[in-house]
Amino acid sequence: MEELVNIFIKGVFIENMIFAYFLGMCSYLAVSKTVETGVGLGAAVIFVLGITVPINYLLENYLLKEGALSWLGARFSTMDLSFLSLIMFIAVVASMVQLVEMLVEKFSPQLYSSLGIFLPLIAVNCSILGGALFMQERQYSTIVEATSFALGSGVGWFLAIVGIAAIREKIRYSNVPRPLRGLGITFIITGLMGIGFMCFMGINI
Amino acid sequence: MKNSLLSKKNRKLLSDPLGDQNPITIQVLGICSALAITVQLQQALVMSMSVVFVMVCGNMIISALRNVIPSRIRIIVQLVVVSSLVVFVDQVLQAFLPDVQEKLSVFIGLIVSNCIIMGRLEAFALGNTLWPSFLDGIGNAVGYGWILLAVAFFRELFGSGKLFGYQVFPDAWYEAGGGFYLNNNLMILPPMALIVVGVIIWVQRSRKSFPEELLEEN
């Protein structure tokens, strides 16, 4: 249990997707103009990461890794398909996003109308594919650990986009130099937020 | 072909993405990978070259296939083409530059979801013939690459006093040699990449010749 909380906290603060790895920056910069849209996209990212990473974990451990196919019989026990992992992961991400979109539309039209436009954006959000690749690289020992990592990174991403959106809403009233407005100042603020988040480094529960 | 290979229009395809249509600083595409791997020039160079390769090949393949691909499944076709190219690059790097490949780790894989590539395939290659697509691919990938190299130049120079791994500042400048100079360790940390890009954007947009309509209101 302790280990799970640790992985979660690490994903949120220390190894934050935005501030430490810059994953998902494109949509982070494009959709952070108001808090409302930021919350929508952030929630969608938590949701999709929480679904795709466990699925990719199963794929990785029962299909792709060296020796993962041994459940098919001794003949397959030395097979290593890991060079296929990139294509498999992106296929899973793209199809899951499509599936989630259809399910949400069918069962909760209200959620769909608030999340709807953000879901297709997620397929090209690198934090989702990045989540799967980090999961593969760090070799979590159980599926629960992988899920906790996924939710942690999702919540970290959510925090980051809501934070920058709130700052951008306020900065509209300040006198920023003309050429720095928009993109430039957003980059610099994100950098300063990243320096703030660095104070969590080394925390271990 | 009606117009010559390097007509004015084609030259524009090549030069626009380097300046006023730069994918990173103006169109805000492909930021994710641009920032994470700019601690050292060598990594940035390998990354830019991989992107040039994937971008040019991807653009040409999609452009050649553009009349065959049904528009409903075009995203999946694009993803398959790009990810096969990326797997190829990844395997080549593993074979010839294993130490760089290890440092770049997941970021080579993330070229797949790099929005520059998908964006250009979708916006340009699907509607143009082979030669303009080739030029567009080179233009955009190089426009991406030079920002990467510029950021890496400042971060490596001030962060560790080196360029391409070679010492630039003489040893006598450092405290150990009786000097005054200290490396700025902040430059190596991730947040400084963002700030350096922010400053590059600032400088680029401050030029008098920068088109007024591209400036943003918050």
Side-chain angles (χ1 to χ4, degrees):
Chain A
M1 192 61 212
E2 231 170 64
E3 183 60 17
L4 292 182
V5 177
N6 205 0
I7 291 178
F8 183 83
I9 298 287
K10 236 178 156 176
V12 177
F13 293 112
I14 304 162
E15 289 168 347
N16 188 293
M17 281 279 187
I18 295 267
F19 298 127
Y21 296 110
F22 313 107
L23 294 182
M25 282 301 280
C26 311
S27 25
Y28 167 86
L29 291 169
V31 191
S32 61
K33 287 212 170 100
T34 59
V35 172
E36 210 188 337
T37 52
V39 170
L41 187 66
V45 166
I46 300 181
F47 194 54
V48 175
L49 260 180
I51 293 174
T52 53
V53 170
I55 293 179
N56 281 331
Y57 181 86
L58 292 177
L59 267 183
E60 160 81 4
N61 280 285
Y62 293 100
L63 206 59
L64 299 170
K65 218 159 72 175
E66 189 176 0
L69 280 172
S70 50
W71 54 273
L72 269 180
R75 227 152 45 88
F76 296 97
S77 62
T78 53
M79 245 157 81
D80 181 7
L81 293 178
S82 51
F83 65 94
L84 280 178
S85 51
L86 198 57
I87 296 181
M88 293 295 275
F89 289 169
I90 193 84
V92 166
V93 170
S95 49
M96 280 323 287
V97 169
Q98 200 84 59
L99 196 68
V100 166
E101 197 183 348
M102 288 191 306
L103 284 180
V104 172
E105 190 181 9
K106 176 106 171 82
F107 292 110
S108 166
Q110 203 178 8
L111 182 66
Y112 181 75
S113 59
S114 59
L115 272 187
I117 46 164
F118 298 116
L119 281 171
L121 267 181
I122 304 255
V124 289
N125 186 323
C126 9
S127 61
I128 310 290
L129 184 61
L133 291 172
F134 276 127
M135 175 276 296
Q136 182 190 32
E137 192 182 276
R138 293 181 193 160
Q139 300 186 332
Y140 291 107
S141 53
T142 62
I143 188 167
V144 186
E145 276 184 15
T147 315
S148 145
F149 157 75
L151 291 176
S153 338
V155 172
W157 205 90
F158 179 89
L159 265 187
I161 194 166
V162 172
I164 191 81
I167 296 179
R168 281 182 87 173
E169 271 189 6
K170 294 286 174 217
I171 212 163
R172 207 162 295 155
Y173 306 110
S174 359
N175 192 10
V176 181
R178 190 78 173 80
L180 199 57
R181 278 186 204 170
L183 194 57
I185 193 72
T186 311
F187 265 108
I188 292 179
I189 294 172
T190 310
L192 295 177
M193 283 168 81
I195 292 179
F197 263 66
M198 272 167 40
C199 67
F200 293 112
M201 244 184 224
I203 289 181
N204 215 344
I205 296 174
Chain B
M1 202 175 288
K2 263 180 278 168
N3 43 11
S4 67
L5 284 183
L6 279 176
S7 63
K8 201 170 175 204
K9 196 163 145 249
N10 284 342
R11 276 208 308 272
K12 214 168 149 47
L13 280 180
L14 205 54
S15 64
D16 259 2
L18 299 182
D20 291 344
Q21 283 299 325
N22 190 284
I24 292 187
T25 59
I26 310 291
Q27 303 177 40
V28 210
L29 296 176
I31 312 275
C32 327
S33 53
L35 300 169
I37 39 87
T38 48
V39 180
Q40 287 171 352
L41 268 170
Q42 193 197 19
Q43 289 173 32
L45 189 68
V46 172
M47 184 71 183
S48 328
M49 277 160 49
S50 319
V51 170
V52 170
F53 173 78
V54 174
M55 180 92 221
V56 170
C57 294
N59 243 358
M60 286 173 70
I61 293 174
I62 292 294
S63 165
L65 293 176
R66 72 185 184 285
N67 295 324
V68 192
I69 306 174
S71 72
R72 293 193 61 133
I73 58 159
R74 64 179 195 285
I75 303 269
I76 299 176
V77 175
Q78 289 164 7
L79 276 178
V80 170
V81 169
V82 174
S83 45
S84 331
L85 287 167
V86 171
V87 171
F88 174 76
V89 169
D90 195 36
Q91 300 283 325
V92 169
L93 286 181
Q94 259 179 40
F96 294 104
L97 291 167
D99 48 330
V100 180
Q101 199 268 349
E102 192 143 307
K103 275 189 206 139
L104 292 176
S105 69
V106 301
F107 290 101
I108 289 288
L110 283 173
I111 297 180
V112 175
S113 58
N114 191 321
C115 10
I116 294 184
I117 295 185
M118 289 299 281
R120 290 328 288 174
L121 292 184
E122 184 81 12
F124 198 88
L126 272 177
N128 286 284
T129 47
L130 214 53
W131 176 245
S133 305
F134 172 76
L135 290 179
D136 183 75
I138 291 195
N140 276 287
V142 173
Y144 166 90
W146 88 256
I147 299 279
L148 229 69
L149 291 175
V151 177
F153 174 82
F154 287 115
R155 286 183 78 191
E156 193 177 358
L157 183 64
F158 295 115
S160 42
K162 295 175 182 171
L163 287 177
F164 283 109
Y166 295 106
Q167 191 81 32
V168 173
F169 296 138
D171 277 336
W173 286 19
Y174 288 97
E175 251 179 340
F180 58 92
Y181 187 74
L182 268 181
N183 282 328
N184 186 350
N185 285 330
L186 192 60
M187 291 301 270
I188 299 180
L189 297 171
M192 279 314 283
L194 289 160
I195 295 180
V196 172
V197 174
V199 172
I200 291 180
I201 291 175
W202 191 3
V203 171
Q204 191 185 18
R205 294 186 180 189
S206 307
R207 283 178 307 129
K208 280 250 162 52
S209 61
F210 190 80
E212 185 72 19
E213 68 273 11
L214 287 178
L215 288 178
E216 289 172 84
E217 288 298 334
N218 285 320

